[in-house]
Each structure stands twice: as structure tokens, then as C-alpha cells.
Amino acid sequence: MDQGTRGELISRLAEAIRSVTTAHPLRVAIDGPPASGKTTLAKELAVVLRAQDRAVIRATVDDFLFPRAQRYRRGQYSAEGCYFDAHDHGAVCRVLLDPLGPGGDRKFQHMVYDRDTDTPSSPPATTAPADAVLFFDGVFLLRPELIDRWDLSIFVSVPFEQTVERARDRGAALAESAADIERSWRHRYIPAQQLYFATAVPTDHADIVVHNDQLHRPTWEFRGER
């Protein structure tokens, strides 16, 4: 494992991304538990690649949620519901990953769901440049339904207890109930991650693992190509 500054991490990851050659847009998964720093990392990488004149597509699994009634049909605090019922993986492949992959026409949609209204969304399709990079962040991205769609995968690792602390801090800033956050994490999100690790073992499949418990002094390890 290597350790360095935040800037050194981003530089090394950008270098790894540039080294991957494909005949279609490069599809990069940024996986990890909730509150691990996936979205922040994706944004940091997007800034660097855009500064190097690379076209960047940003998308998140939370824009591919099923409607709330389906997500919580097993109960608000169901770990199985979180893992099996939350995200429309078929839509992720159909409108985004497959069009950007081998043999695709590069015409994609970055979302199918509007979280604010809990309704489907169908933005106009966009055509990606052949050398574009997709940074797709979210939970459970290295599960069997998606694992073969990625050209490069990064897993952002943080101890589960630390994700609870970060969630509390985030919730306090948004005036959310600490008790509700604690219950959601203890009964839904962490057990869902434990189910994911038990069934999919994501860190065994990731090309790169970033240990993000120290945000300004992360460590990382390159596992090589799958």
C-alpha cells in the first residue's frame, strides 16, 4: 500500500485512468459504503480530467433508484430491502453502461429517477465522445449484475463505525435527527454492506482500493486488472 497527500492520491488515480485504453468511453466505478467519500472522490477526479481536456460524464446510482414504495416494501430498516430493492440495475445497464460499452452507440441517459418528486425521469439522450470518461459513484457497484460492465473499478474503504460518525456530522448540518440516522445506519445501511461483502466480496474484485479513513492522508493499493 502507498500513502500520501490527497493531491498525490488524485494524481495517481488520474494516471491510472489515463493508462486504460478502450475503443469506447471508459466506465469507472467508484464504489464504497455510504459516507465513505465516493462522490467527493468522483468530483475531484472529474476536475483533474477535465483540466486535461478529457470529456467527463458524471452519474450516481442514487439517480437509478426504484420508487420509495418499492425500496421500502420490506420495511424502512430492512438490510435486504436496501441491497435487493433499492436500485434499478437493469436501467443502469440499459441506458448508461451498455450504450457506453463495447458495441454501444454512445447515446446515454445519466438518470431515470427524480429523488425530489419520487417519480421516473427521462432526460434527453446525450452522445458521448469516444474518449470520454464516466465516473459513476454509488453503493453495491461490484455486485454480479454490474461487475462486468466496468473498465476500471475503485473501492473507497472506510470502517463502518466511521461512516456512522460522518453520517451524524452530515445530518447535524442538515438538522436531521441523530436518532433516526443512528437507527438507519445500524439496522439498514451497515447490515446491507455486510450482506454485500458476504455475497459479492467487492474488495477482492476492485482494481484499486482507497482507504479513506484519513481524508487528507489516504492510503491506496492497486490490485491490477481483473
Side-chain angles (χ1 to χ4, degrees):
M1 282 195 291
D2 295 313
Q3 184 173 33
T5 66
R6 191 80 191 170
E8 289 169 336
L9 167 67
I10 300 304
S11 177
R12 288 286 287 113
L13 293 179
E15 179 183 340
I17 290 162
R18 289 194 302 270
S19 73
V20 180
T21 302
T22 59
H24 53 80
L26 185 69
R27 302 162 299 173
V28 180
I30 302 182
D31 190 11
S36 61
K38 304 177 298 297
T39 302
T40 297
L41 181 61
K43 290 177 178 177
E44 290 170 322
L45 289 170
V47 167
V48 171
L49 270 292
R50 284 172 176 148
Q52 297 169 351
D53 295 325
R54 190 83 178 260
V56 171
I57 302 162
R58 280 285 293 115
T60 177
V61 78
D62 286 342
D63 287 331
F64 289 86
L65 289 166
F66 282 119
R68 184 177 179 84
Q70 182 169 344
R71 298 201 306 272
Y72 293 104
R73 64 190 178 91
R74 304 188 203 217
Q76 184 176 356
Y77 300 106
S78 168
E80 291 79 9
C82 183
Y83 186 64
F84 292 111
D85 303 332
H87 302 104
D88 189 345
H89 302 109
V92 173
C93 295
R94 185 174 63 253
V95 308
L96 182 61
L97 298 183
D98 289 350
L100 297 181
D105 61 8
R106 293 188 276 115
K107 295 178 180 178
F108 72 93
Q109 292 173 289
H110 69 280
M111 64 187 299
V112 298
Y113 172 76
D114 187 322
R115 284 174 283 178
D116 293 332
T117 60
D118 191 33
T119 57
S121 176
S122 184
T126 302
T127 301
D131 64 345
V133 179
L134 167 68
F135 290 119
F136 189 93
D137 67 87
V139 294
F140 312 139
L141 300 187
L142 300 183
R143 61 193 297 154
E145 300 95 320
L146 298 176
I147 192 167
D148 291 334
R149 276 10 190 250
W150 307 115
D151 304 303
L152 186 72
S153 58
I154 301 169
F155 190 89
V156 184
S157 178
V158 172
F160 291 147
E161 282 301 316
Q162 192 168 354
T163 70
V164 179
E165 295 171 10
R166 291 182 182 178
R168 287 196 210 103
D169 292 342
R170 183 185 299 173
L174 298 173
E176 295 177 353
S177 164
D180 287 345
I181 292 169
E182 186 83 17
R183 187 175 180 189
S184 293
W185 240 255
R186 300 292 181 195
H187 294 278
R188 185 176 175 88
Y189 299 131
I190 290 179
Q193 284 291 318
Q194 291 168 332
L195 174 61
Y196 177 41
F197 270 78
T199 57
V201 200
T203 51
D204 281 0
H205 298 287
D207 298 307
I208 304 166
V209 177
V210 174
H211 300 274
N212 207 35
D213 45 318
Q214 298 182 58
L215 293 173
H216 300 294
R217 192 74 180 169
T219 59
W220 58 90
E221 51 185 317
F222 284 74
R223 303 290 185 84
E225 296 182 355
R226 286 181 277 111

